[in-house]
Amino acid sequence: MANLVTAGLDGSRESVAAARWAAHEDHLRGVPLALVHVEEWLEQPPLAVATTEVQRQWAEGLLREASEEIKRLYPDLEITSRRLSGVPATALAHAAASSDILVLGSRGLGGIAGFVLGSIGAGTIAAVDQPVVLVRAPHGEAAPAEGSGADGPVVVGADIGRPCDALLSFAFDEAARRGCALRVLHAWAPPPIIGYGPPLDPGAQEEIGQRIATAVEELIRPWCDKYPSVAVTPEVRIGQSAIQLVDASKGAALVVVGRRIRRSAYGTHIGAIAHAVLHHATSPVAVIAHE
């Protein structure tokens, strides 16, 4: 453990919300907070020096104001701030390498349109092996209230067909730290009807559901034993995983999803489920990289 939480600031109200969420997380963990701002340097002519100086002053003011606001909320919290330069996703990934969590803001569109993850957020998530949390700013507010969502449960999407120890470890740890309930959600879809064949017998569907529920309980049993103080509710739903997780995000303190680590010459991906949840969940979303 690095014993540090890092939050990226870009001047948007979403990034301010992310910084406040990170500060609350630091308060729960009892670790310092690092605020970073990335300046994307491009090749500029000599006459651009004045513009560069204005940008530097703006960035320093942004970091200073955020630090002062967080200090008012958490007087005992240790805060550092620094300016980084380079490609934003690469610079943020480098900062995340020495952190337990990287926290970023995500711009909202509202309604059915959902949220905008953005190329920087997507690129950063794909490049970071540490947990990345995306935070929205509530509509009509510059930032969420202190500890916003702390009374809701932590929700984690579990896949009984693949290893998900990293997700469960993070989710149980967060629920224990927050003193809130944990919902472990697994979604499945009945076999599709082929041609004019009969639909799946209700009894057979119920039997499949029971087997899946048993598998989920077996999956989380070691973690329940490790975290006896956490009230855990396993949930098995019929439907698409992303849709069920987005629905479960309403009122949640945090939704935890996984991203398989993929190394490819054609770039990196965050996965269809994580991508959909990041765009449409109403709560903060933690993306956990795993093999």
Side-chain angles (χ1 to χ4, degrees):
M1 300 292 285
N3 294 322
L4 178 71
V5 173
T6 296
L9 281 171
D10 61 8
S12 67
R13 69 191 190 101
E14 288 76 22
S15 74
V16 173
R20 294 186 66 180
W21 191 95
H24 182 64
E25 183 72 14
D26 281 289
H27 175 69
L28 293 174
R29 291 172 176 257
V31 301
L33 169 66
L35 299 176
V36 300
H37 171 73
V38 181
E39 298 166 359
E40 186 170 10
W41 293 107
L42 302 175
E43 188 173 344
Q44 300 181 15
L47 294 178
V49 173
T51 302
T52 301
E53 177 61 19
V54 170
Q55 184 179 11
R56 181 190 66 79
Q57 293 179 4
W58 177 84
E60 290 180 350
L62 171 68
L63 292 168
R64 181 175 59 254
E65 291 174 7
S67 297
E68 291 172 352
E69 180 189 359
I70 292 172
K71 268 294 186 183
R72 287 194 293 270
L73 294 172
Y74 304 99
D76 298 328
L77 185 63
E78 180 183 343
I79 305 172
T80 61
S81 62
R82 57 186 173 133
R83 293 162 47 233
L84 306 175
S85 62
V87 178
T90 302
L92 288 169
H94 180 74
S98 58
S99 307
D100 294 325
I101 301 177
L102 174 66
V103 187
L104 303 173
S106 184
R107 184 164 60 90
L109 292 176
I112 298 175
F115 298 92
V116 174
L117 177 57
S119 59
I120 292 176
T124 304
I125 291 171
V128 172
D129 290 344
Q130 288 74 23
V132 182
V133 177
L134 273 292
V135 180
R136 309 21 169 128
H139 180 67
E141 296 182 26
E146 179 181 350
S148 178
D151 294 335
V154 171
V155 177
V156 58
D159 187 344
I160 60 175
R162 293 176 179 172
C164 56
D165 284 352
L167 279 76
L168 293 175
S169 177
F170 183 88
F172 270 88
D173 194 52
E174 281 293 313
R177 184 177 292 114
R178 294 167 179 271
C180 68
L182 173 64
R183 297 167 60 187
V184 181
L185 191 152
H186 175 83
W188 70 285
I193 301 173
I194 301 176
Y196 295 97
L200 185 66
D201 179 80
Q205 181 170 305
E206 182 178 354
E207 182 180 349
I208 294 173
Q210 287 294 333
R211 287 205 302 265
I212 293 175
T214 299
V216 172
E217 291 174 358
E218 292 176 351
L219 179 69
I220 66 175
R221 184 174 294 117
W223 297 99
C224 293
D225 294 340
K226 184 177 180 180
Y227 293 89
S229 64
V230 176
V232 184
T233 303
E235 297 183 22
V236 175
R237 297 187 180 186
I238 296 177
Q240 297 182 15
S241 297
I243 293 176
Q244 298 303 324
L245 285 167
V246 168
D247 180 67
S249 74
K250 300 170 185 174
L254 182 68
V255 171
V256 184
V257 296
R259 174 187 74 81
R260 293 186 66 188
I261 298 174
R262 298 170 179 171
R263 312 299 183 190
S264 170
Y266 300 100
T268 52
H269 306 277
I270 62 175
I273 294 176
H275 187 274
V277 174
L278 284 166
H279 275 272
H280 297 287
T282 56
S283 68
V285 178
V287 183
I288 312 300
H290 61 94
E291 298 292 345

